[in-house]
Amino acid sequence: ENAVTYRIYGCEKAREERYEQTLNAYEKTAVRNSVWQSALPPLYLAASEAGVLFIPWFGTKNVLGSGWSAWGIAAFTTFLSCFTKLVVKSSKVAKLFNAVQKAEVSWKRIKPRLTSPAPLETLKIAPPADVTLSALSFAYGEAPIFSGLSLTAHPGDIIGVTGPVACGKSTFGRVFLCEAPYGGSVRFGDKELADLSSRKLAGTVGYLGHDPELSADTVKSNVLCGSEVVPYLAAVALSDEVAAMENGVETVIGSSGTRLSGGQAKRLALARTLAHPRPVLVLDDPFSALDRKTEDTVFANLRDYANDKAVFLISHRLYHFPQMQQILFMEGGKTTVGTHDELIASVPAYRRLYESQERGENHEA
């Protein structure tokens, strides 16, 4: 386990001795178990078959009329056949005992975990509030992914997050899930996100990952747990496409959405996020598989939907960044915050990225 990780970080030699010890212990334990499992069945079989020796003695006396009852040859033969079958069954008792012992060991390990979970506290959706990042940083080990990030997002703001590939955009989005310690501060209103319980955090942050999961269920079940699904499908420009499916919102989309195109899968996952409103939304590349016309429709609907929410929209596509209140540009572990016009004037890498997309759009037109 974890061999690839050790290899990547050059720790193979440090683990070789531990691997060898573990392997030797496993081999010895397996041999001991095999000896007992292999030795007991023949012993039980021998003990069971020893009883057959008494059958001719008592059976002969019964046939001759001097036993406990008078038998004919047919009765004796029938008794001998039934007893032989019983011997075969009883010889398998050893295997049954082994199975029971294994089950008992497993049960002792599992039983402590079979406790009723504590009831979850009621999920309460937090009211809108400012999101304040102060000197925010994150690192895996010693090398920081990004640092020195400070900005404030008000309800109704859409904050664009962009930068080169592997600059830390998705890592920034996952900071809001508080899965790992971060540096600096992320405050929602007057509360630090890291100090919230998991239930309170779930009632505060809505998250759409870069590679969202879809279950092998209906369109409706992938978006909601009950209630009405159509408004959210319309918000992501998917309602007409779903209506054209054989069973509408009850159409089963297959494992991981295999029956959907990449754009449809992205929009369905976005619809699920919108269907469970939270005051803070983190959307990681929701437009990556959409054409420009569909993206325009979805973004316009998102602006209306998010009029009382703080949205962090992570994207490589910058078509709508001029309409956003603030933009976070990440590159080489550094972060720059400003409006679209400010970044065009002060960050050459952002300007080149935006202008290259604009030229490509005009060329296609």
Side-chain angles (χ1 to χ4, degrees), residues 10-219:
C11 300
E12 281 187 303
K13 290 185 178 180
R15 302 297 298 180
E16 284 178 356
E17 184 178 351
R18 180 66 181 273
Y19 286 153
E20 195 65 29
Q21 292 174 352
T22 302
L23 183 59
N24 288 335
Y26 173 78
E27 290 175 345
K28 292 177 181 178
T29 302
V31 169
R32 285 196 298 267
N33 291 338
S34 297
V35 168
W36 284 106
Q37 291 182 19
S38 301
L40 287 179
L43 294 177
Y44 275 88
L45 181 59
S48 299
E49 290 182 344
V52 177
L53 300 176
F54 296 95
I55 298 304
W57 172 259
F58 291 108
T60 301
K61 296 183 68 174
N62 285 347
V63 171
L64 296 175
S66 59
W68 69 79
S69 65
W71 281 1
I73 295 299
F76 174 74
T77 304
T78 302
F79 181 80
L80 181 60
S81 175
C82 291
F83 190 85
T84 303
K85 290 184 178 180
L86 180 62
V87 167
V88 174
K89 295 293 184 183
S90 63
S91 67
K92 296 181 180 179
V93 170
K95 186 176 181 180
L96 176 62
F97 285 169
N98 286 335
V100 170
Q101 290 173 349
K102 289 180 180 179
E104 185 178 2
V105 171
S106 298
W107 175 245
K108 288 180 180 179
R109 185 173 65 249
I110 295 172
K111 186 178 179 180
R113 301 179 181 274
L114 296 180
T115 57
S116 298
L120 294 173
E121 60 180 284
T122 303
L123 185 63
K124 297 179 181 179
I125 308 304
D130 290 348
V131 178
T132 305
L133 313 181
S134 300
L136 180 64
S137 63
F138 188 86
Y140 293 113
E142 298 296 329
I145 304 300
F146 62 86
S147 61
L149 173 56
S150 299
L151 66 84
T152 299
H154 306 290
D157 286 355
I158 298 181
I159 309 300
V161 182
T162 191
V165 174
C167 67
K169 300 185 295 297
S170 294
T171 300
F172 165 75
R174 296 185 70 85
V175 165
F176 290 86
L177 302 180
C178 299
E179 295 175 332
Y182 55 80
S185 173
V186 182
R187 302 186 70 82
F188 176 74
D190 58 352
K191 300 176 180 177
E192 185 70 29
L193 282 190
D195 296 336
L196 299 180
S197 67
S198 60
R199 292 292 285 173
K200 290 183 178 179
L201 186 64
T204 302
V205 178
Y207 177 78
L208 172 62
H210 183 269
D211 188 19
E213 295 181 358
L214 297 174
S215 60
D217 209 328
T218 64
V219 170

Side-chain angles (χ1 to χ4, degrees), residues 239-356:
S239 55
D240 291 342
E241 294 166 59
V242 171
M245 296 179 182
E246 63 269 23
N247 295 315
V249 296
E250 300 297 338
T251 301
V252 177
I253 62 173
S255 178
S256 301
T258 52
R259 293 190 59 192
L260 303 179
S261 68
Q264 289 174 329
K266 277 283 188 179
R267 282 179 285 159
L268 185 61
L270 179 58
R272 178 173 58 201
T273 305
L274 301 184
H276 300 84
R278 299 291 187 271
V280 180
L281 294 181
V282 179
L283 308 179
D284 193 345
D285 220 6
F287 305 141
S288 61
L290 306 186
D291 61 80
R292 178 62 186 276
K293 182 179 179 181
T294 304
E295 180 180 346
D296 290 342
T297 301
V298 175
F299 183 77
N301 293 335
L302 178 63
R303 291 183 65 183
D304 294 337
Y305 173 87
N307 59 5
D308 60 346
K309 302 170 179 62
V311 179
F312 293 87
L313 197 155
I314 302 168
S315 181
H316 289 288
R317 298 159 66 108
L318 310 184
Y319 304 127
H320 299 105
F321 274 46
Q323 304 174 52
M324 298 181 186
Q325 282 71 29
Q326 293 185 82
I327 296 167
L328 165 60
F329 184 77
M330 308 179 71
E331 184 178 31
K334 299 180 180 179
T335 59
T336 306
V337 179
T339 64
H340 171 74
D341 291 337
E342 290 172 346
L343 293 187
I344 286 289
S346 62
V347 182
Y350 177 80
R351 182 176 64 252
R352 288 194 299 270
L353 184 62
Y354 179 77
E355 290 177 348
S356 65

Side-chain angles (χ1 to χ4, degrees), residues 1-9 19:
E1 187 179 0
N2 301 323
V4 174
T5 301
Y6 293 132
R7 186 176 302 120
I8 290 173
Y9 289 96
Y19 286 153

